[in-house]
Amino acid sequence: MHAIWRRTLTLAGTATLTLGVAHAQTPDLSAPPPIEGEVITEDLGSHTIRVGLGLAETSPLYISTQHFGNILSERTEGRLTVNVFPNSQLGDDAQMMEMLQTGSLDMTIPSTSPATTYVEELAVFDLPFLLPTREAAVAVLESDAALDLLDKFDGTGIKAFAYHENGYRQLTNSVRPVESPDDVAGLDVSGLTIRTMENPVQLSIWEALGANPTPMAFGEVFSAMEQGVIDGQENPWSTILTSNFHEVQDYGSETRHVYTPFIIMMSERTWDRLDPAYQELVEEAAREAAAYEIQLATEYDDWSRNQLEERGMQITRLDDDQIAAFQDAVQPVYEEWAPRIGEDLVAEIQQIVADTMND
Ligand code: KDG
């Protein structure tokens, strides 16, 4: 157990040192849960699993993926090891999913939004203001309705295990403070050019708000903002902070317009090479890492917003009426997309949300 602690602490220390800035790079995070369960002592083969991520080393996603690796290693006496490649260095979400299909990468953890190429119904998570609280979001992610969508990857060459939290997405830009859809659209001036994820529902959201949406891979967003190719983007506060977007974005608005999950997934080819005992362990470790990641993402969220303010970003908090104006403006997105995603699925998720809110 001590070995696990040492590794985790080293990771946090390294991240802070490498970045070499006065500000803390992470909040006070919960320690990883203890690694429990049977250790596989039999030699069932040795494998190094390469995991590609879009986000940085300081992100909750990276930290929980390290924990995933520690579980596999501790419980196979080091025969399963995990190497994590952050910062889109192996490709963007879409490319890494293709690499899983061909077997040139073992694992990745993309947002659900680009994964709709494989399972269209995942677009339900792109519907704006669908999951109003984190409690409701987690209830949905744990529901059969959501878990059944992971099974739909069967036959794609990809095995999907569990949902992580990407989180509540917030708008940033370099042009003006945004308090209303009119500020996005610009009215007398031009609409903001906003990078969206590569997903048609996300595009519809920003069209409905009067922006000029520009789909783009995550790895290109920082330089596109730096060069003024786009005015802004939208992502959870933790991603905005850990990707240093505040260096090129002066304004943020707490819109919480979409809650996006991540999916932890593996190449079917890698999966097939693993002994069934290892397969079972991988699934278990993926679920444990997911629970830890959701906890870390929660701990990061408000802290990251406050850090961004300390670093000079002007952040507009929106009251209920202001949020309602955004909700009204994106209503056409439901009319256009709910029938295509499946009215039943949308209604089922809305019911889970309503049940959670009434509890
Ligand atoms: O690895 C995850 C990231 O690549 C990406 O999904 C982050 O939300 C994201 C975005 O905006 O593309």
Side-chain angles (χ1 to χ4, degrees):
M1 207 47 50
H2 292 299
I4 301 157
W5 263 102
R6 264 204 305 278
R7 268 203 294 277
T8 310
L9 292 174
T10 311
L11 169 74
T14 313
T16 313
L17 277 178
T18 319
L19 289 156
V21 292
H23 296 287
Q25 283 293 320
T26 62
D28 278 340
L29 295 170
S30 296
I35 297 176
E36 288 165 341
E38 232 174 274
V39 173
I40 302 171
T41 52
E42 194 183 339
D43 184 355
L44 301 172
S46 296
H47 303 268
T48 300
I49 296 171
R50 297 165 80 236
V51 187
L53 300 179
L55 301 186
E57 293 95 328
T58 41
S59 65
L61 188 64
Y62 182 91
I63 299 170
S64 67
T65 308
Q66 291 285 350
H67 178 56
F68 170 76
N70 290 343
I71 298 174
L72 294 190
S73 174
E74 296 286 326
R75 292 187 56 189
T76 59
E77 296 186 326
R79 290 191 186 86
L80 288 187
T81 50
V82 168
N83 281 353
V84 191
F85 298 86
N87 295 314
S88 306
Q89 57 184 280
L90 300 184
D92 59 46
D93 284 349
Q95 288 165 333
M96 289 194 283
M97 284 187 280
E98 282 169 22
M99 288 164 78
L100 297 192
Q101 290 186 291
T102 59
S104 53
L105 177 65
D106 299 308
M107 292 187 75
T108 187
I109 312 181
S111 293
T112 45
S113 309
T116 54
T117 318
Y118 300 92
V119 178
E120 285 178 1
E121 295 94 325
L122 283 170
V124 72
F125 293 114
D126 293 301
L127 290 173
F129 301 104
L130 179 74
L131 307 173
T133 64
R134 184 171 272 108
E135 203 191 359
V138 170
V140 167
L141 296 185
E142 289 173 349
S143 71
D144 287 344
L147 294 174
D148 287 351
L149 299 182
L150 300 182
D151 294 339
K152 289 186 186 268
F153 279 91
D154 283 359
T156 63
I158 293 174
K159 186 111 186 98
F161 301 120
Y163 293 100
H164 285 39
E165 166 170 317
N166 188 349
Y168 284 104
R169 304 181 78 87
Q170 325 284 4
L171 176 66
T172 68
N173 81 94
S174 57
V175 180
R176 54 181 172 258
V178 170
E179 290 181 5
S180 66
D182 286 350
D183 293 332
V184 176
L187 297 183
D188 298 342
V189 281
S190 57
L192 296 174
T193 302
I194 301 295
R195 174 268 174 173
T196 71
M197 289 188 284
E198 291 159 304
N199 171 286
V201 186
Q202 298 287 330
L203 210 68
S204 295
I205 293 174
W206 293 97
E207 271 164 6
L209 289 169
N212 304 313
T214 308
M216 188 183 288
F218 181 77
E220 293 164 26
V221 177
F222 185 93
S223 54
M225 293 189 299
E226 193 174 35
Q227 289 160 17
V229 177
I230 51 173
D231 297 321
Q233 64 81 49
E234 43 83 59
N235 251 297
W237 293 131
S238 63
T239 301
I240 294 165
L241 178 69
T242 58
S243 305
N244 295 320
F245 288 173
H246 52 285
E247 289 175 7
V248 288
Q249 297 278 273
D250 290 338
Y251 306 103
S253 297
E254 197 150 47
T255 46
R256 291 169 60 90
H257 50 278
V258 173
Y259 175 98
T260 312
F262 286 130
I263 299 179
I264 180 165
M265 50 174 70
M266 182 178 254
S267 164
E268 195 98 38
R269 292 184 190 216
T270 307
W271 177 256
D272 289 344
R273 279 199 297 272
L274 298 178
D275 182 274
Y278 283 171
Q279 291 179 340
E280 209 179 299
L281 177 61
V282 166
E283 283 194 284
E284 203 186 307
R287 284 194 298 270
E288 285 177 26
Y292 182 46
E293 195 272 349
I294 291 174
Q295 185 179 351
L296 294 180
T298 310
E299 290 167 2
Y300 251 93
D301 202 14
D302 287 352
W303 181 86
S304 303
R305 183 201 52 215
N306 297 342
Q307 281 291 312
L308 288 164
E309 279 179 325
E310 274 186 33
R311 292 166 200 218
M313 187 180 268
Q314 183 184 323
I315 295 184
T316 307
R317 287 155 171 82
L318 304 175
D319 63 27
D320 291 350
D321 289 344
Q322 289 170 314
I323 290 287
F326 279 91
Q327 273 178 296
D328 288 349
V330 296
Q331 210 42 49
V333 177
Y334 275 80
E335 281 141 35
E336 182 184 354
W337 284 99
R340 294 164 77 170
I341 294 166
E343 304 271 14
D344 289 351
L345 176 62
V346 176
E348 201 177 343
I349 303 264
Q350 284 172 329
Q351 189 57 53
I352 298 168
V353 172
D355 292 346
T356 319
M357 309 293 278
N358 291 335
D359 271 355

